[in-house]
Amino acid sequence: MRAARLIKMVLLLQSRPSMTAGELARELEVSERTVTRDAQALSEAGVPVYADRGRAGGYRLIGGYRTRLTGLARGEAEALFLSGVPGALREMGLEDAASAARLKVSAALLPSVRDASRTAAQRFHLDAPGWFREPRTPELLPAVADAVWDDRVVRARYRREEAGAEVERELEPYGLVLKAGVWYLCARVAGGGTHRVYRIDRFTGVEAGGERFVRDEEFDLPGFWEERAEQFARSILRAEVVLRLSPAGLRQLPYATDPASVRAARESAGEPDGEGWVTVTLPVESEDIAFGQLFGLGPEAEVVAPAALRERFAEAALRLADRYR
């Protein structure tokens, strides 16, 4: 355990000019006192770790010290090769670069773990698109990806969903996200605008000029995407349905609607009645969408409100009974 932590500490210091004890403690999930002891142990083992004293001090490696990858265990090497997503790299036009990088890493590994890329590929494959959807690679994705990697400002024409209107924007492309087979660009409007999300298949033109933008190093792509995805999920839930659910209906609810709605419904659930049924308030996009989602629950759910939706279910139940009588 300690040996793995010491190796990680060396790699962290190798990747940055300097790190404070607090930064190392957070990365290694230990106390600052443990960081001090580990730095001393590395120094005694011949690793040139130098400690700068004072409030602005920290730890750094001196003399251009570098470690090699020969210490990778098999599990670590396999995880490294799993970190690439072949389909996504191919769609972005980075397949050749990724292949060259894998070859270089393989050459640096010990002979005993050089087959890690093959064994990892035999055990894991990512198929990103959802079922019943024909995956399509946006034509302009490679151009957008080039601009992202090179921090180049792009002039883009974008087709808005509403009315199909096109707008032209000068964007600073920060990052790409592949969600359920759909590619998105997280970008900032040039000149200090806010970060926004764009579907790449709605771009009708992308031109990258010679101008580079200065990237905000505080920008956290995973955190930004998580926050925006949560906002989007909440924004489309504009209506509510009051339901009575049997125990079986409560178990089946996650298969009928989206996770955000299910979480809200479970949080609103009252105490079960004598038959085990509970009353919940379910956020939905609309009554039409709720009808399609909840119909599959059959007799395990009863719509209490709104009245119009309850009447619609009652009518559908009568028609269904007539059909099967």
Side-chain angles (χ1 to χ4, degrees):
M1 181 71 176
R2 190 190 185 200
R5 190 175 70 240
L6 291 173
I7 292 173
K8 185 176 180 180
M9 184 175 179
V10 173
L11 293 174
L12 284 169
L13 293 174
Q14 185 173 293
S15 64
R16 307 180 195 182
S18 177
M19 293 183 71
T20 66
E23 290 171 337
L24 284 167
R26 284 191 295 273
E27 291 281 356
L28 300 172
E29 298 181 351
V30 295
S31 67
E32 293 188 22
R33 182 172 296 180
T34 299
V35 168
T36 301
R37 288 198 297 264
D38 285 352
Q40 184 177 352
L42 287 170
S43 181
E44 292 173 353
V47 178
V49 178
Y50 181 78
D52 291 313
R53 304 297 179 184
R55 294 183 60 185
Y59 293 92
R60 58 188 174 89
L61 293 174
I62 60 175
Y65 180 85
R66 308 289 294 178
T67 185
R68 297 182 180 274
L69 290 175
T70 51
L72 282 179
R74 170 169 292 279
E76 294 168 332
E78 290 173 344
L80 175 65
F81 285 105
L82 283 178
S83 64
V85 183
L89 292 170
R90 182 172 59 251
E91 292 178 10
M92 288 187 290
L94 297 174
E95 186 175 29
D96 290 343
S99 177
R102 286 193 293 268
L103 285 172
K104 290 178 180 178
V105 172
S106 295
L109 293 173
L110 290 172
S112 59
V113 293
R114 281 183 185 161
D115 64 341
S117 61
R118 180 181 61 82
T119 58
Q122 289 174 336
R123 289 163 174 80
F124 177 80
H125 173 69
L126 175 64
D127 185 7
W131 289 104
F132 315 117
R133 175 183 295 174
E134 187 69 27
R136 293 176 55 190
T137 302
E139 182 180 346
L140 296 175
L141 176 60
V144 175
D146 282 345
V148 169
W149 302 130
D150 210 20
D151 293 342
R152 290 190 181 275
V153 176
V154 299
R155 183 171 293 279
R157 294 190 304 278
Y158 188 75
R159 185 180 67 256
R160 285 178 170 169
E161 185 176 12
E162 58 275 11
E166 277 196 9
V167 296
E168 189 168 296
R169 294 280 187 272
E170 196 169 71
L171 301 174
E172 297 173 353
Y174 266 69
L176 296 166
V177 175
L178 176 61
K179 170 71 172 180
V182 180
W183 284 95
Y184 296 88
L185 172 68
C186 300
R188 185 170 64 179
V189 178
T194 58
H195 288 90
R196 301 180 183 178
V197 176
Y198 301 86
R199 277 186 60 145
I200 293 183
D201 58 7
R202 291 186 186 149
F203 283 118
T204 59
V206 173
E207 296 179 14
E211 181 186 357
R212 285 187 168 88
F213 64 93
V214 178
R215 178 176 289 268
D216 178 4
E217 295 301 331
E218 298 297 319
F219 178 75
D220 174 19
L221 179 60
F224 171 78
W225 176 260
E226 183 178 0
E227 179 183 347
R228 285 304 174 91
E230 183 68 23
Q231 290 176 358
F232 174 75
R234 289 196 303 266
S235 70
I236 63 175
L237 302 176
R238 302 185 181 93
E240 289 183 343
V241 174
V242 180
L243 286 176
R244 290 183 68 242
L245 293 168
S246 71
L250 192 59
R251 290 195 300 271
Q252 294 169 18
L253 189 62
Y255 302 100
T257 187
D258 61 277
S261 296
V262 174
R263 285 196 300 270
R266 286 177 170 164
E267 290 171 1
S268 71
E271 292 296 322
D273 62 18
E275 297 178 341
W277 286 60
V278 296
T279 300
V280 303
T281 300
L282 180 74
V284 296
E285 292 184 51
S286 67
E287 290 187 17
D288 284 341
I289 291 177
F291 179 80
Q293 291 176 329
L294 300 176
F295 196 80
L297 297 179
E300 306 304 326
E302 176 191 354
V303 174
V304 177
L309 185 60
R310 179 180 174 87
E311 291 173 6
R312 188 171 173 181
F313 269 96
E315 180 185 348
L318 288 174
R319 291 173 57 197
L320 196 61
D322 286 341
R323 180 71 63 189
Y324 284 93
R325 182 170 293 125

